[in-house]
Amino acid sequence: MDTFIFKSATYDESSQTILLGYSYENGPEFVEKIEFPDCRTDLNDQEKEALEKEIVQLHLAAGISYYKAYCPKNIRVDNHALTKEEADFFFKFYRHGLGEFSVENDIDLSGIIRFPVTSNYHLTPSKITLPKKAVVPIGGGKDSVVSLEVLVNANMPHQMIAINAGPPIKNAMKAGSENAAENAIHIRRTLDPALFALNDEGAMNGHVPITGILSFIMACGAILYGYDSVVMSNEGSASEGNMEFAGIEVNHQYSKSLEFELDFEKYIRKTTLSNFHYFSLLRPLNETGIAALFATLPHYFDVFKSCNRNFHIDEGVRQYGWCCDCPKCRFVFLALSPFIAKDRLNEIFGKNMLNDMSQEDGFRELCGLKGHKPFECVGEIEECQYILKTLTTTDRATDQLVKKLTPELDALGLDIKPMTIDELRATALNFKYEHNIPPHFLEHLNEFISARK
């Protein structure tokens, strides 16, 4: 398995399906399928050419799921002459996107990943006009519905979009608007089952930059469905790494970071779609600020789900609900604790996680009292510390883990003082991070926040 091959990338208009072909030389072959139901069937020649360009980029991005099985030094692209721009972008995408994978498998990929430059030409983007409409990817959790409500509140033209939507995502869509949910875009991505067979045979496995892959899919969707903006819901604290390994900062949320966001938008606009926009509407905030905004949207309380067991890539092992035994459940419970009444939050999760001593080590990691920041989509260590200290001023002060862990924070000598809930909310809703938000979207975000301070 010493050579990984990008074989083919085609679009079948009759089935509205992109097929991506990969293989290992003298080894297994794979075909990934991405379906775009109810998309346009009247593309003109310029739009077809733009789609072909974008499919090439999606092919290179999605290949990371198959490349990681053996991570060979040799990469071959049979269906496309690779430019230096492409080789540089995808080296970084694979290197940093597989950062957590590198830790899990104890492998330094810096001297292994090599995309071969086979063209001296520069890519030129299509200048097709995309309709002035935004799509909001819905993930089923608290963040994406906050972005959705910002656009609803501003009466901005938009559409919900989801890839491989299961019950949690569909329920969140319906909670926002039954009519809007019926008009949502639903794309389906199907990995080749042969990949799972390799995993069973001992191939390497681990985290991939799924948000990045889905972003390339949505760039294809911009042409097939007609929209010019993808409004993500990644917070500023997603840019914080977890640890250092093999000379790079490893960030579980690399493809949710501002660095990737800027790289991706610039790359798409430079190589395929010059009028494409990609940004996170919540980037100026940390998770605490987003939690404070979500707490003002009670019609989502019983349907939102952030536990990743709801979204397992293998549908057969998905578990819907809150497992209450993973970093994501622990963090979301902690982040919402200051802003949602104690009994109501306990009811949402089915238990009081801050009164469950079996979760002690997990909360220690979140608060920087043990190990490193968990490999999950969780907030910054410092904001977890501030939340925990603030809970000492509320009816959560008697919860066992609040009583046990806050004195340990004090013992670290940190200058973290407890705040009132109103002080925490006001502080969290101040913009803290650089962002890439277009001015008119930023104006609507400010209006939404001002109405809820």
Side-chain angles (χ1 to χ4, degrees):
M1 306 295 178
D2 61 353
T3 301
F4 182 72
I5 305 170
F6 292 84
K7 295 188 67 176
S8 61
T10 60
Y11 176 64
D12 179 53
E13 187 175 72
S14 62
S15 63
Q16 302 174 314
T17 300
I18 292 174
L19 297 175
L20 306 174
Y22 309 94
S23 72
Y24 283 93
E25 190 171 42
N26 301 318
E29 296 190 1
F30 314 94
V31 177
E32 179 166 317
K33 182 168 63 174
I34 305 168
E35 300 164 272
F36 297 82
D38 303 317
C39 70
R40 292 179 56 198
T41 57
D42 60 346
L43 299 181
N44 61 36
D45 289 343
Q46 281 186 311
E47 290 167 334
K48 288 178 180 178
E49 182 182 354
L51 180 61
E52 288 175 5
K53 289 182 177 182
E54 193 55 59
I55 289 173
V56 168
Q57 305 307 316
L58 170 59
H59 189 210
L60 295 168
I64 197 169
S65 297
Y66 305 90
Y67 172 83
K68 71 172 175 30
Y70 295 104
C71 296
K73 287 188 176 182
N74 298 319
I75 292 176
R76 200 173 83 213
V77 182
D78 284 353
N79 64 321
H80 176 66
L82 209 65
T83 68
K84 186 177 186 303
E85 293 163 298
E86 292 170 306
D88 289 347
F89 179 89
F90 284 104
F91 170 79
K92 183 177 182 180
F93 182 66
Y94 277 51
R95 180 72 183 92
H96 288 268
L98 292 174
E100 179 181 339
F101 168 92
S102 300
V103 175
E104 294 169 335
N105 292 279
D106 194 21
I107 179 173
D108 181 358
L109 293 174
S110 58
I112 294 177
I113 300 169
R114 288 291 181 270
F115 280 87
V117 176
T118 54
S119 170
N120 292 323
Y121 291 97
H122 292 285
L123 298 176
T124 56
S126 169
K127 291 182 170 55
I128 61 170
T129 300
L130 297 169
K132 295 290 184 183
K133 185 174 72 174
V135 292
V136 182
I138 303 298
K142 64 181 181 2
D143 298 6
S144 57
V145 298
V146 170
S147 290
L148 178 66
E149 291 295 324
V150 171
L151 300 193
V152 169
N153 188 69
N155 293 314
M156 289 194 71
H158 69 278
Q159 198 168 6
M160 291 185 279
I161 188 171
I163 300 172
N164 291 358
I169 293 175
K170 292 178 180 177
N171 291 339
M173 287 178 164
K174 291 177 183 177
S177 165
E178 190 80 33
N179 290 334
E182 290 178 0
N183 294 317
I185 296 171
H186 286 280
I187 300 171
R188 183 167 182 81
R189 178 190 184 214
T190 305
L191 289 161
D192 194 310
L195 178 62
F196 301 107
L198 282 187
N199 294 338
D200 293 338
E201 295 169 7
M204 288 187 288
N205 198 8
H207 179 75
V208 297
I210 184 62
T211 299
I213 298 169
L214 302 185
S215 297
F216 277 96
I217 292 174
M218 289 185 288
C220 291
I223 304 164
L224 287 169
Y225 291 105
Y227 52 81
D228 72 333
S229 300
V230 176
V231 181
M232 302 296 287
S233 304
N234 303 317
E235 71 285 352
S237 44
S239 297
E240 181 188 62
N242 299 82
M243 63 182 297
E244 298 283 333
F245 179 79
I248 66 167
E249 181 184 63
V250 175
N251 182 0
H252 171 82
Q253 301 188 83
Y254 164 68
S255 61
K256 292 185 176 182
S257 69
L258 177 63
E259 181 178 7
F260 173 79
E261 177 183 313
L262 295 173
D263 286 350
F264 177 74
E265 185 189 56
K266 180 180 178 181
Y267 181 74
I268 295 298
R269 290 169 65 91
K270 185 177 180 180
T271 61
T272 54
L273 294 171
S274 61
N275 297 310
F276 179 76
H277 303 279
Y278 176 90
F279 60 92
S280 174
L281 188 57
L282 306 183
R283 184 70 69 187
L285 301 169
N286 63 10
E287 284 275 19
T288 311
I290 297 169
L293 294 176
F294 177 78
T296 68
L297 306 171
H299 52 294
Y300 290 104
F301 286 2
D302 291 324
V303 297
F304 89 105
K305 298 291 182 292
S306 297
C307 176
N308 282 336
R309 297 188 187 186
N310 293 270
F311 312 108
H312 197 283
I313 196 167
D314 185 346
E315 293 184 25
V317 299
R318 289 181 188 171
Q319 297 178 11
Y320 298 118
W322 297 94
C323 78
C324 295
D325 192 25
C326 72
K328 196 66 175 287
C329 285
R330 285 188 283 269
F331 174 73
V332 175
F333 190 94
L334 180 66
L336 292 174
S337 288
F339 308 115
I340 296 179
K342 182 174 182 177
D343 290 345
R344 184 69 178 100
L345 188 61
N346 294 349
E347 179 186 20
I348 291 168
F349 279 77
K351 69 185 304 183
N352 182 352
M353 292 192 67
L354 286 168
N355 226 16
D356 180 1
M357 294 304 292
S358 70
Q359 303 301 314
E360 180 179 348
D361 284 347
F363 279 107
R364 285 184 179 279
E365 289 180 348
L366 288 174
C367 295
L369 295 170
K370 179 182 179 179
H372 58 76
K373 179 182 174 182
F375 282 134
E376 251 301 352
C377 297
V378 298
E380 295 172 325
I381 287 174
E382 184 179 54
E383 66 177 309
C384 291
Q385 293 171 340
Y386 271 101
I387 293 170
L388 193 68
K389 286 290 289 184
T390 296
L391 293 180
T392 62
T393 69
T394 73
D395 56 0
R396 290 274 179 195
T398 57
D399 288 350
Q400 293 184 66
L401 288 170
V402 176
K403 288 195 300 183
K404 183 164 187 179
L405 299 183
T406 47
E408 295 185 30
L409 288 180
D410 295 337
L412 293 177
L414 303 173
D415 186 24
I416 297 177
K417 296 179 174 61
M419 292 183 267
T420 66
I421 300 300
D422 287 342
E423 289 171 338
L424 180 66
R425 179 184 296 106
T427 300
L429 291 177
N430 289 329
F431 288 178
K432 301 174 176 63
Y433 306 93
E434 294 180 14
H435 59 80
N436 182 38
I437 305 173
H440 58 296
F441 283 92
L442 185 62
E443 179 182 347
H444 296 315
L445 175 62
N446 275 311
E447 291 171 354
F448 187 82
I449 291 174
S450 296
R452 286 158 176 79
K453 276 190 174 179

